[in-house]
PDB file of all heavy atoms in Angstrom:
ATOM      1  N   HIS Y 215      26.002 -55.218  60.120  1.00 94.00           N
ATOM      2  CA  HIS Y 215      24.833 -56.051  60.367  1.00 94.00           C
ATOM      3  C   HIS Y 215      24.305 -55.887  61.784  1.00 94.00           C
ATOM      4  O   HIS Y 215      25.074 -55.699  62.730  1.00 94.00           O
ATOM      5  CB  HIS Y 215      25.178 -57.535  60.172  1.00 94.00           C
ATOM      6  CG  HIS Y 215      25.646 -57.892  58.802  1.00 94.00           C
ATOM      7  ND1 HIS Y 215      24.819 -58.422  57.844  1.00 94.00           N
ATOM      8  CD2 HIS Y 215      26.879 -57.805  58.234  1.00 94.00           C
ATOM      9  CE1 HIS Y 215      25.514 -58.648  56.739  1.00 94.00           C
ATOM     10  NE2 HIS Y 215      26.766 -58.276  56.948  1.00 94.00           N
ATOM     11  N   LEU Y 216      22.991 -56.011  61.927  1.00 91.00           N
ATOM     12  CA  LEU Y 216      22.377 -56.184  63.232  1.00 91.00           C
ATOM     13  C   LEU Y 216      22.373 -57.668  63.524  1.00 91.00           C
ATOM     14  O   LEU Y 216      21.798 -58.464  62.779  1.00 91.00           O
ATOM     15  CB  LEU Y 216      20.943 -55.639  63.232  1.00 91.00           C
ATOM     16  CG  LEU Y 216      20.164 -55.792  64.543  1.00 91.00           C
ATOM     17  CD1 LEU Y 216      20.792 -54.940  65.645  1.00 91.00           C
ATOM     18  CD2 LEU Y 216      18.703 -55.409  64.342  1.00 91.00           C
ATOM     19  N   ASP Y 217      23.038 -58.081  64.595  1.00 87.00           N
ATOM     20  CA  ASP Y 217      23.146 -59.500  64.913  1.00 87.00           C
ATOM     21  C   ASP Y 217      21.771 -60.062  65.264  1.00 87.00           C
ATOM     22  O   ASP Y 217      21.111 -59.580  66.182  1.00 87.00           O
ATOM     23  CB  ASP Y 217      24.116 -59.703  66.085  1.00 87.00           C
ATOM     24  CG  ASP Y 217      24.523 -61.158  66.241  1.00 87.00           C
ATOM     25  OD1 ASP Y 217      24.684 -61.829  65.214  1.00 87.00           O
ATOM     26  OD2 ASP Y 217      24.671 -61.621  67.395  1.00 87.00           O
ATOM     27  N   ASP Y 218      21.354 -61.081  64.536  1.00 79.00           N
ATOM     28  CA  ASP Y 218      20.015 -61.642  64.730  1.00 79.00           C
ATOM     29  C   ASP Y 218      20.068 -63.151  64.489  1.00 79.00           C
ATOM     30  O   ASP Y 218      19.524 -63.660  63.511  1.00 79.00           O
ATOM     31  CB  ASP Y 218      19.034 -60.965  63.769  1.00 79.00           C
ATOM     32  CG  ASP Y 218      17.606 -61.441  63.946  1.00 79.00           C
ATOM     33  OD1 ASP Y 218      17.254 -61.846  65.070  1.00 79.00           O
ATOM     34  OD2 ASP Y 218      16.847 -61.432  62.959  1.00 79.00           O
ATOM     35  N   PRO Y 219      20.719 -63.897  65.396  1.00 71.00           N
ATOM     36  CA  PRO Y 219      20.916 -65.336  65.163  1.00 71.00           C
ATOM     37  C   PRO Y 219      19.627 -66.137  65.095  1.00 71.00           C
ATOM     38  O   PRO Y 219      19.585 -67.188  64.464  1.00 71.00           O
ATOM     39  CB  PRO Y 219      21.772 -65.767  66.370  1.00 71.00           C
ATOM     40  CG  PRO Y 219      21.533 -64.736  67.412  1.00 71.00           C
ATOM     41  CD  PRO Y 219      21.322 -63.452  66.668  1.00 71.00           C
ATOM     42  N   GLU Y 220      18.541 -65.648  65.722  1.00 67.00           N
ATOM     43  CA  GLU Y 220      17.282 -66.376  65.720  1.00 67.00           C
ATOM     44  C   GLU Y 220      16.354 -65.938  64.581  1.00 67.00           C
ATOM     45  O   GLU Y 220      15.243 -66.439  64.460  1.00 67.00           O
ATOM     46  CB  GLU Y 220      16.566 -66.194  67.057  1.00 67.00           C
ATOM     47  CG  GLU Y 220      17.355 -66.771  68.235  1.00 67.00           C
ATOM     48  CD  GLU Y 220      16.594 -66.646  69.536  1.00 67.00           C
ATOM     49  OE1 GLU Y 220      15.405 -66.273  69.492  1.00 67.00           O
ATOM     50  OE2 GLU Y 220      17.186 -66.925  70.591  1.00 67.00           O
ATOM     51  N   GLY Y 221      16.806 -65.003  63.759  1.00 66.00           N
ATOM     52  CA  GLY Y 221      16.010 -64.583  62.623  1.00 66.00           C
ATOM     53  C   GLY Y 221      14.728 -63.861  62.989  1.00 66.00           C
ATOM     54  O   GLY Y 221      13.721 -63.962  62.288  1.00 66.00           O
ATOM     55  N   ARG Y 222      14.746 -63.075  64.069  1.00 69.00           N
ATOM     56  CA  ARG Y 222      13.536 -62.391  64.518  1.00 69.00           C
ATOM     57  C   ARG Y 222      13.253 -61.113  63.739  1.00 69.00           C
ATOM     58  O   ARG Y 222      12.144 -60.605  63.758  1.00 69.00           O
ATOM     59  CB  ARG Y 222      13.652 -62.067  66.012  1.00 69.00           C
ATOM     60  CG  ARG Y 222      13.703 -63.303  66.890  1.00 69.00           C
ATOM     61  CD  ARG Y 222      13.707 -62.938  68.356  1.00 69.00           C
ATOM     62  NE  ARG Y 222      13.723 -64.119  69.197  1.00 69.00           N
ATOM     63  CZ  ARG Y 222      13.671 -64.094  70.519  1.00 69.00           C
ATOM     64  NH1 ARG Y 222      13.612 -62.928  71.155  1.00 69.00           N
ATOM     65  NH2 ARG Y 222      13.683 -65.215  71.224  1.00 69.00           N
ATOM     66  N   THR Y 223      14.277 -60.550  63.074  1.00 74.00           N
ATOM     67  CA  THR Y 223      14.081 -59.303  62.328  1.00 74.00           C
ATOM     68  C   THR Y 223      14.607 -59.454  60.896  1.00 74.00           C
ATOM     69  O   THR Y 223      15.545 -58.773  60.496  1.00 74.00           O
ATOM     70  CB  THR Y 223      14.798 -58.127  63.027  1.00 74.00           C
ATOM     71  OG1 THR Y 223      16.198 -58.484  63.211  1.00 74.00           O
ATOM     72  CG2 THR Y 223      14.191 -57.850  64.386  1.00 74.00           C
ATOM     73  N   PRO Y 224      13.986 -60.350  60.106  1.00 74.00           N
ATOM     74  CA  PRO Y 224      14.489 -60.582  58.737  1.00 74.00           C
ATOM     75  C   PRO Y 224      14.423 -59.340  57.861  1.00 74.00           C
ATOM     76  O   PRO Y 224      15.180 -59.226  56.892  1.00 74.00           O
ATOM     77  CB  PRO Y 224      13.571 -61.703  58.216  1.00 74.00           C
ATOM     78  CG  PRO Y 224      12.333 -61.593  59.046  1.00 74.00           C
ATOM     79  CD  PRO Y 224      12.801 -61.154  60.400  1.00 74.00           C
ATOM     80  N   TRP Y 225      13.508 -58.416  58.174  1.00 74.00           N
ATOM     81  CA  TRP Y 225      13.392 -57.193  57.361  1.00 74.00           C
ATOM     82  C   TRP Y 225      14.601 -56.271  57.540  1.00 74.00           C
ATOM     83  O   TRP Y 225      14.786 -55.344  56.780  1.00 74.00           O
ATOM     84  CB  TRP Y 225      12.103 -56.445  57.713  1.00 74.00           C
ATOM     85  CG  TRP Y 225      12.004 -56.066  59.157  1.00 74.00           C
ATOM     86  CD1 TRP Y 225      12.430 -54.910  59.741  1.00 74.00           C
ATOM     87  CD2 TRP Y 225      11.466 -56.857  60.222  1.00 74.00           C
ATOM     88  NE1 TRP Y 225      12.194 -54.925  61.089  1.00 74.00           N
ATOM     89  CE2 TRP Y 225      11.596 -56.105  61.414  1.00 74.00           C
ATOM     90  CE3 TRP Y 225      10.883 -58.124  60.283  1.00 74.00           C
ATOM     91  CZ2 TRP Y 225      11.159 -56.591  62.651  1.00 74.00           C
ATOM     92  CZ3 TRP Y 225      10.445 -58.592  61.512  1.00 74.00           C
ATOM     93  CH2 TRP Y 225      10.584 -57.835  62.675  1.00 74.00           C
ATOM     94  N   LEU Y 226      15.434 -56.527  58.556  1.00 81.00           N
ATOM     95  CA  LEU Y 226      16.637 -55.732  58.779  1.00 81.00           C
ATOM     96  C   LEU Y 226      17.894 -56.490  58.361  1.00 81.00           C
ATOM     97  O   LEU Y 226      18.999 -56.086  58.707  1.00 81.00           O
ATOM     98  CB  LEU Y 226      16.748 -55.342  60.265  1.00 81.00           C
ATOM     99  CG  LEU Y 226      15.626 -54.461  60.814  1.00 81.00           C
ATOM    100  CD1 LEU Y 226      15.847 -54.200  62.299  1.00 81.00           C
ATOM    101  CD2 LEU Y 226      15.556 -53.152  60.059  1.00 81.00           C
ATOM    102  N   ASP Y 227      17.716 -57.562  57.627  1.00 86.00           N
ATOM    103  CA  ASP Y 227      18.826 -58.433  57.247  1.00 86.00           C
ATOM    104  C   ASP Y 227      19.339 -58.068  55.852  1.00 86.00           C
ATOM    105  O   ASP Y 227      18.550 -57.920  54.911  1.00 86.00           O
ATOM    106  CB  ASP Y 227      18.361 -59.899  57.274  1.00 86.00           C
ATOM    107  CG  ASP Y 227      19.512 -60.867  57.146  1.00 86.00           C
ATOM    108  OD1 ASP Y 227      19.980 -61.061  56.006  1.00 86.00           O
ATOM    109  OD2 ASP Y 227      19.947 -61.402  58.173  1.00 86.00           O
ATOM    110  N   TRP Y 228      20.657 -57.930  55.741  1.00 91.00           N
ATOM    111  CA  TRP Y 228      21.248 -57.588  54.453  1.00 91.00           C
ATOM    112  C   TRP Y 228      20.927 -58.632  53.385  1.00 91.00           C
ATOM    113  O   TRP Y 228      20.754 -58.303  52.210  1.00 91.00           O
ATOM    114  CB  TRP Y 228      22.764 -57.443  54.586  1.00 91.00           C
ATOM    115  CG  TRP Y 228      23.230 -56.050  54.840  1.00 91.00           C
ATOM    116  CD1 TRP Y 228      23.794 -55.556  55.979  1.00 91.00           C
ATOM    117  CD2 TRP Y 228      23.203 -54.941  53.919  1.00 91.00           C
ATOM    118  NE1 TRP Y 228      24.101 -54.220  55.845  1.00 91.00           N
ATOM    119  CE2 TRP Y 228      23.755 -53.820  54.592  1.00 91.00           C
ATOM    120  CE3 TRP Y 228      22.753 -54.788  52.620  1.00 91.00           C
ATOM    121  CZ2 TRP Y 228      23.878 -52.578  53.984  1.00 91.00           C
ATOM    122  CZ3 TRP Y 228      22.864 -53.546  52.010  1.00 91.00           C
ATOM    123  CH2 TRP Y 228      23.426 -52.463  52.694  1.00 91.00           C
ATOM    124  N   ARG Y 229      20.852 -59.899  53.774  1.00 88.00           N
ATOM    125  CA  ARG Y 229      20.589 -60.943  52.778  1.00 88.00           C
ATOM    126  C   ARG Y 229      19.249 -60.702  52.085  1.00 88.00           C
ATOM    127  O   ARG Y 229      19.140 -60.848  50.862  1.00 88.00           O
ATOM    128  CB  ARG Y 229      20.588 -62.316  53.451  1.00 88.00           C
ATOM    129  CG  ARG Y 229      21.978 -62.810  53.842  1.00 88.00           C
ATOM    130  CD  ARG Y 229      21.900 -64.071  54.658  1.00 88.00           C
ATOM    131  NE  ARG Y 229      21.211 -63.846  55.928  1.00 88.00           N
ATOM    132  CZ  ARG Y 229      21.033 -64.771  56.858  1.00 88.00           C
ATOM    133  NH1 ARG Y 229      21.481 -65.997  56.643  1.00 88.00           N
ATOM    134  NH2 ARG Y 229      20.420 -64.481  57.988  1.00 88.00           N
ATOM    135  N   SER Y 230      18.242 -60.319  52.865  1.00 85.00           N
ATOM    136  CA  SER Y 230      16.932 -60.055  52.263  1.00 85.00           C
ATOM    137  C   SER Y 230      17.009 -58.882  51.294  1.00 85.00           C
ATOM    138  O   SER Y 230      16.426 -58.917  50.203  1.00 85.00           O
ATOM    139  CB  SER Y 230      15.905 -59.761  53.360  1.00 85.00           C
ATOM    140  OG  SER Y 230      15.784 -60.850  54.245  1.00 85.00           O
ATOM    141  N   TRP Y 231      17.718 -57.814  51.695  1.00 88.00           N
ATOM    142  CA  TRP Y 231      17.826 -56.651  50.823  1.00 88.00           C
ATOM    143  C   TRP Y 231      18.577 -57.001  49.539  1.00 88.00           C
ATOM    144  O   TRP Y 231      18.178 -56.603  48.439  1.00 88.00           O
ATOM    145  CB  TRP Y 231      18.540 -55.513  51.547  1.00 88.00           C
ATOM    146  CG  TRP Y 231      18.481 -54.220  50.783  1.00 88.00           C
ATOM    147  CD1 TRP Y 231      17.531 -53.254  50.870  1.00 88.00           C
ATOM    148  CD2 TRP Y 231      19.403 -53.774  49.769  1.00 88.00           C
ATOM    149  NE1 TRP Y 231      17.803 -52.234  49.996  1.00 88.00           N
ATOM    150  CE2 TRP Y 231      18.940 -52.522  49.307  1.00 88.00           C
ATOM    151  CE3 TRP Y 231      20.574 -54.313  49.224  1.00 88.00           C
ATOM    152  CZ2 TRP Y 231      19.608 -51.810  48.314  1.00 88.00           C
ATOM    153  CZ3 TRP Y 231      21.232 -53.604  48.232  1.00 88.00           C
ATOM    154  CH2 TRP Y 231      20.752 -52.358  47.792  1.00 88.00           C
ATOM    155  N   LEU Y 232      19.667 -57.755  49.648  1.00 90.00           N
ATOM    156  CA  LEU Y 232      20.463 -58.114  48.477  1.00 90.00           C
ATOM    157  C   LEU Y 232      19.668 -58.994  47.510  1.00 90.00           C
ATOM    158  O   LEU Y 232      19.742 -58.821  46.292  1.00 90.00           O
ATOM    159  CB  LEU Y 232      21.748 -58.822  48.915  1.00 90.00           C
ATOM    160  CG  LEU Y 232      22.768 -57.925  49.629  1.00 90.00           C
ATOM    161  CD1 LEU Y 232      23.881 -58.770  50.250  1.00 90.00           C
ATOM    162  CD2 LEU Y 232      23.355 -56.894  48.665  1.00 90.00           C
ATOM    163  N   VAL Y 233      18.903 -59.941  48.057  1.00 89.00           N
ATOM    164  CA  VAL Y 233      18.083 -60.799  47.200  1.00 89.00           C
ATOM    165  C   VAL Y 233      17.060 -59.965  46.447  1.00 89.00           C
ATOM    166  O   VAL Y 233      16.857 -60.127  45.238  1.00 89.00           O
ATOM    167  CB  VAL Y 233      17.385 -61.893  48.041  1.00 89.00           C
ATOM    168  CG1 VAL Y 233      16.299 -62.584  47.223  1.00 89.00           C
ATOM    169  CG2 VAL Y 233      18.395 -62.912  48.536  1.00 89.00           C
ATOM    170  N   SER Y 234      16.399 -59.048  47.150  1.00 85.00           N
ATOM    171  CA  SER Y 234      15.361 -58.229  46.512  1.00 85.00           C
ATOM    172  C   SER Y 234      15.935 -57.236  45.519  1.00 85.00           C
ATOM    173  O   SER Y 234      15.201 -56.686  44.695  1.00 85.00           O
ATOM    174  CB  SER Y 234      14.546 -57.486  47.576  1.00 85.00           C
ATOM    175  OG  SER Y 234      15.352 -56.526  48.238  1.00 85.00           O
ATOM    176  N   ASN Y 235      17.262 -57.012  45.565  1.00 88.00           N
ATOM    177  CA  ASN Y 235      17.899 -56.080  44.632  1.00 88.00           C
ATOM    178  C   ASN Y 235      18.827 -56.777  43.643  1.00 88.00           C
ATOM    179  O   ASN Y 235      19.758 -56.180  43.112  1.00 88.00           O
ATOM    180  CB  ASN Y 235      18.666 -55.006  45.410  1.00 88.00           C
ATOM    181  CG  ASN Y 235      17.747 -53.967  46.017  1.00 88.00           C
ATOM    182  OD1 ASN Y 235      17.421 -52.969  45.392  1.00 88.00           O
ATOM    183  ND2 ASN Y 235      17.312 -54.212  47.247  1.00 88.00           N
ATOM    184  N   GLY Y 236      18.564 -58.058  43.427  1.00 89.00           N
ATOM    185  CA  GLY Y 236      19.257 -58.791  42.375  1.00 89.00           C
ATOM    186  C   GLY Y 236      20.685 -59.189  42.667  1.00 89.00           C
ATOM    187  O   GLY Y 236      21.442 -59.475  41.733  1.00 89.00           O
ATOM    188  N   GLN Y 237      21.078 -59.249  43.951  1.00 89.00           N
ATOM    189  CA  GLN Y 237      22.450 -59.615  44.304  1.00 89.00           C
ATOM    190  C   GLN Y 237      22.459 -60.721  45.377  1.00 89.00           C
ATOM    191  O   GLN Y 237      23.059 -60.574  46.438  1.00 89.00           O
ATOM    192  CB  GLN Y 237      23.203 -58.386  44.834  1.00 89.00           C
ATOM    193  CG  GLN Y 237      23.305 -57.232  43.869  1.00 89.00           C
ATOM    194  CD  GLN Y 237      24.136 -57.581  42.647  1.00 89.00           C
ATOM    195  OE1 GLN Y 237      25.115 -58.320  42.734  1.00 89.00           O
ATOM    196  NE2 GLN Y 237      23.736 -57.057  41.494  1.00 89.00           N
ATOM    197  N   PRO Y 238      21.813 -61.859  45.109  1.00 90.00           N
ATOM    198  CA  PRO Y 238      21.713 -62.899  46.147  1.00 90.00           C
ATOM    199  C   PRO Y 238      23.040 -63.508  46.571  1.00 90.00           C
ATOM    200  O   PRO Y 238      23.201 -63.947  47.699  1.00 90.00           O
ATOM    201  CB  PRO Y 238      20.796 -63.940  45.502  1.00 90.00           C
ATOM    202  CG  PRO Y 238      20.984 -63.739  44.030  1.00 90.00           C
ATOM    203  CD  PRO Y 238      21.163 -62.267  43.843  1.00 90.00           C
ATOM    204  N   GLY Y 239      24.010 -63.535  45.683  1.00 90.00           N
ATOM    205  CA  GLY Y 239      25.291 -64.174  46.019  1.00 90.00           C
ATOM    206  C   GLY Y 239      26.409 -63.192  46.324  1.00 90.00           C
ATOM    207  O   GLY Y 239      27.581 -63.580  46.375  1.00 90.00           O
ATOM    208  N   LEU Y 240      26.086 -61.928  46.525  1.00 94.00           N
ATOM    209  CA  LEU Y 240      27.126 -60.919  46.735  1.00 94.00           C
ATOM    210  C   LEU Y 240      27.932 -61.195  48.002  1.00 94.00           C
ATOM    211  O   LEU Y 240      27.376 -61.472  49.063  1.00 94.00           O
ATOM    212  CB  LEU Y 240      26.493 -59.529  46.811  1.00 94.00           C
ATOM    213  CG  LEU Y 240      27.480 -58.357  46.935  1.00 94.00           C
ATOM    214  CD1 LEU Y 240      27.032 -57.184  46.085  1.00 94.00           C
ATOM    215  CD2 LEU Y 240      27.621 -57.901  48.400  1.00 94.00           C
ATOM    216  N   LYS Y 241      29.243 -61.121  47.874  1.00 95.00           N
ATOM    217  CA  LYS Y 241      30.145 -61.278  49.026  1.00 95.00           C
ATOM    218  C   LYS Y 241      30.824 -59.943  49.277  1.00 95.00           C
ATOM    219  O   LYS Y 241      31.584 -59.459  48.440  1.00 95.00           O
ATOM    220  CB  LYS Y 241      31.183 -62.361  48.745  1.00 95.00           C
ATOM    221  CG  LYS Y 241      30.597 -63.752  48.587  1.00 95.00           C
ATOM    222  CD  LYS Y 241      31.681 -64.796  48.454  1.00 95.00           C
ATOM    223  CE  LYS Y 241      31.071 -66.173  48.256  1.00 95.00           C
ATOM    224  NZ  LYS Y 241      30.215 -66.573  49.382  1.00 95.00           N
ATOM    225  N   PRO Y 242      30.575 -59.321  50.422  1.00 95.00           N
ATOM    226  CA  PRO Y 242      31.170 -58.010  50.709  1.00 95.00           C
ATOM    227  C   PRO Y 242      32.648 -58.120  51.049  1.00 95.00           C
ATOM    228  O   PRO Y 242      33.180 -59.221  51.278  1.00 95.00           O
ATOM    229  CB  PRO Y 242      30.361 -57.529  51.914  1.00 95.00           C
ATOM    230  CG  PRO Y 242      29.973 -58.788  52.621  1.00 95.00           C
ATOM    231  CD  PRO Y 242      29.724 -59.794  51.525  1.00 95.00           C
TER     232      PRO Y 242
END
Side-chain angles (χ1 to χ4, degrees):
H215 299 263
L216 178 66
D217 194 37
D218 183 28
E220 297 183 9
R222 295 185 179 183
T223 55
W225 58 90
L226 297 178
D227 191 281
W228 266 112
R229 286 172 297 182
S230 300
W231 189 90
L232 290 169
V233 167
S234 67
N235 284 271
Q237 300 295 325
L240 184 140
K241 295 186 182 300

